[in-house]
């Protein structure tokens, strides 16, 4: 969908369809004027039985112009979530029509017009689900956003919203791909394609290179897989080489059968989404480089399958990770943390300013938080705070959880190795996993771990990738780049 900003009044617009958001009881948003023709329209709508519940829409034809009414729900309940629900419903109902809307009509208390534009753009671009093919912005649909905001401010909000919307679509598309297509080699090829971007370099480590490196965590997990593992390394230089890079790490398990600790068959198909962290950081990398953000960015993706096989790693095996620490395997289904252990160790080469890893790591995070918030585990208060701010702006929610305390560390003690890879079943699994990772993160570098196991896709008969936490990461990177140039 093409999105355009206009400072003209919407009444001068001659497009086919005008969006009219409205509260229950036909209360109009504050800024909207009650003209005689609007009163007449609302009277007709009242007779139709339309109640303006949040997310409900009604098309009304007057002369040649259509009005698409969008219910916002009760005025006193109208908040960020209601706005996003209603605006998504509006773009879905509008289809391919030529649209016009008034940005100020959608205003949410305590949120700027820039914020409204950002989220209208994200909603407009992400209503179609990229299940079978990637979504290109080639379609004919167009939406003119009328606003009183200064053109420059409106444009920069729109540009960020478009970048985020397109990045969400790419991450969704990668996530939705079938696991026989989206293999570790496929992810590596997708990463290679990004070499075409300015100031980008890409390095792929195959299994031979991983052996030479000593990446025993990744190699243990991939032993049972017919498709070989890859460690993918991308660098974008958008700032002086003296500026330490921000490092993003993604879990790229392209299918998690559980290994010898085989998962039950029910919903095993959804384990194709176990590379959602990788999809998110790859998409964020592409967008940050294309936007030419003034920062240095390194992305590391550890990609493998986790399969049962005669050659697979076993429960009770002791493996040596890239850091040199040994791990007693107590459950082969806790594979993500083994890949991430090596990937986190590897990031030290780049002396990063900070490291953020994104992983569908534990079913336990869904028990702890549900599927609205990502689980956040951070070893640094400033990183935690800036991520919370970015989550607030992007409406990509997270919640900080405890980890790496003596209590959690005691759960990972091993008689035969430096650590076990799992703790006792049913006790704070998301926090225990983060505690395992903390051993491999440099304690002098700000580090955050995002457990997105409950938020990266919607489960069900027709599971769908959500593209999360792309919006969070891009909002955060954007925020960081503003701070760096000040
Ligand atoms: N990829 C899974 C996590 C997961 C499970 C995501 C269910 C979404 C839904 C991860 O590799 C895993 O299997 N974790 C185990 C850890 C356990 C063995 C300590 C889990 O959560 O059951
Ligand atoms: Mn697993
Ligand atoms: Zn997994």
């Amino acid at each position: 969908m093409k999105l355009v900003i206009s400072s003209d009044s919407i009444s001068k617009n001659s497009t086919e369809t005008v969006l009219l958001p409205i509260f229950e009881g036909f209360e109009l948003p504050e800024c909207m004027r009650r003209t005689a023709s609007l009163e007449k329209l609302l009277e007709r709508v009242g007779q139709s039985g339309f109640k303006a519940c949040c997310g409900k829409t009604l098309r009304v034809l007057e002369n040649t112009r259509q009005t698409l009414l969008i219910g916002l729900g009760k005025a006193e309940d109208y908040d960020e979530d209601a706005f996003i629900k209603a605006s998504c419903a509006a773009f879905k109902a509008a289809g391919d029509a030529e649209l016009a809307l008034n940005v100020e009509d959608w205003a949410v208390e305590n949120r700027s017009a820039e914020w409204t534009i950002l989220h209208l753009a994200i909603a407009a671009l992400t209503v179609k689900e990229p299940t079978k093919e990637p979504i290109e912005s080639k379609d004919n649909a167009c939406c003119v956003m009328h606003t009183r905001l200064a053109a420059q401010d409106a444009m920069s909000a729109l540009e960020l919203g478009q970048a985020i919307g397109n990045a969400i679509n790419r991450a969704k598309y990668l996530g939705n791909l079938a696991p026989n297509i989206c293999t570790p080699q496929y992810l590596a090829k997708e990463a290679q394609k990004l070499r075409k971007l300015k100031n980008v370099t890409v390095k792929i480590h195959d299994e031979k290179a991983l052996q030479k490196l000593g990446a025993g965590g990744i190699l243990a997990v991939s032993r049972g897989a017919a498709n070989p593992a890859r460690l993918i390394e991308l660098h974008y230089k958008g700032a002086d080489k003296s500026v330490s890079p921000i490092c993003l790490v993604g879990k790229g398990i392209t299918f998690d059968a559980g290994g010898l600790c085989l998962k039950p068959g029910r919903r095993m198909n959804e384990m194709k989404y176990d590379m959602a962290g990788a999809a998110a950081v790859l998409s964020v990398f592409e967008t940050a480089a294309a936007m030419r953000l003034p920062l240095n960015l390194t992305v590391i993706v550890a990609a493998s399958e986790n399969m049962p096989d005669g050659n697979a790693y076993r429960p009770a095996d002791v493996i040596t990770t890239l850091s040199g620490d040994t791990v007693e395997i107590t459950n082969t289904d806790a594979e993500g943390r083994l890949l991430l252990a090596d990937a986190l160790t590897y990031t030290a080469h780049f002396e990063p300013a900070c490291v953020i890893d994104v992983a569908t790591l534990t079913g336990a995070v869904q028990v702890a938080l549900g599927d609205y918030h990502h689980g956040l585990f951070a070893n640094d208060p400033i990183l935690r705070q800036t991520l919370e701010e970015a989550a607030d702006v992007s409406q990509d929610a997270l919640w900080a959880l405890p980890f790496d305390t003596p209590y959690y560390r005691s759960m990972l003690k091993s008689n035969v190795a430096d650590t076990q890879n799992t703790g006792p079943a049913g006790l704070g699994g998301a926090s225990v996993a983060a505690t395992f990772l903390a051993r491999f993160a440099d304690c002098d570098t700000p580090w955050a771990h995002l457990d997105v196991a409950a938020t990266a896709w919607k489960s069900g008969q027709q599971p769908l990738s959500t593209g999360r936490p792309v919006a969070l990461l891009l909002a955060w990177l954007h925020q960081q780049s503003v701070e760096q140039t000040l």
Side-chain angles (χ1 to χ4, degrees), residues 349-371:
H349 286 297
F350 313 111
E351 296 178 5
C354 63
V355 177
I356 302 174
D357 78 72
V358 185
T360 49
L361 205 63
T362 65
V365 80
Q366 179 155 15
V367 179
L369 293 178
D371 61 5

Side-chain angles (χ1 to χ4, degrees), residues 94-107:
D96 282 342
E98 218 182 294
L99 290 180
L101 62 80
N102 228 339
V103 171
E104 284 74 17
D105 291 352
W106 296 87

Side-chain angles (χ1 to χ4, degrees), residues 263-310:
K263 285 186 184 292
R266 203 178 89 90
R267 296 224 165 138
M268 195 200 271
N269 58 324
E270 293 189 11
M271 282 301 124
K272 71 171 183 177
Y273 289 112
D274 212 16
M275 39 59 74
V281 297
L282 285 172
S283 182
V284 165
F285 179 89
E286 178 175 358
T287 304
M291 286 176 86
R292 311 244 174 121
L293 290 184
L295 42 77
N296 294 332
L297 182 63
T298 291
V299 158
I300 305 292
V301 166
S304 175
E305 292 181 335
N306 186 28
M307 303 292 271
D309 182 77

Side-chain angles (χ1 to χ4, degrees), residues 251 256 263 271 274 306 331 333-337 360-364 366 421-423 453-454 457:
K251 171 178 172 182
D256 181 11
K263 285 186 184 292
M271 282 301 124
D274 212 16
N306 186 28
N331 192 321
D333 199 9
E335 83 297 338
R337 61 196 77 182
T360 49
L361 205 63
T362 65
Q366 179 155 15
N421 77 328
T422 62
W457 78 92

Side-chain angles (χ1 to χ4, degrees), residues 115-134:
W115 185 89
T116 310
I117 293 172
L118 177 83
H119 284 281
L120 284 170
I122 296 173
L125 294 174
T126 58
V127 280
K128 281 191 199 145
E129 294 299 341
T131 45
K132 293 210 180 92
E133 53 199 5

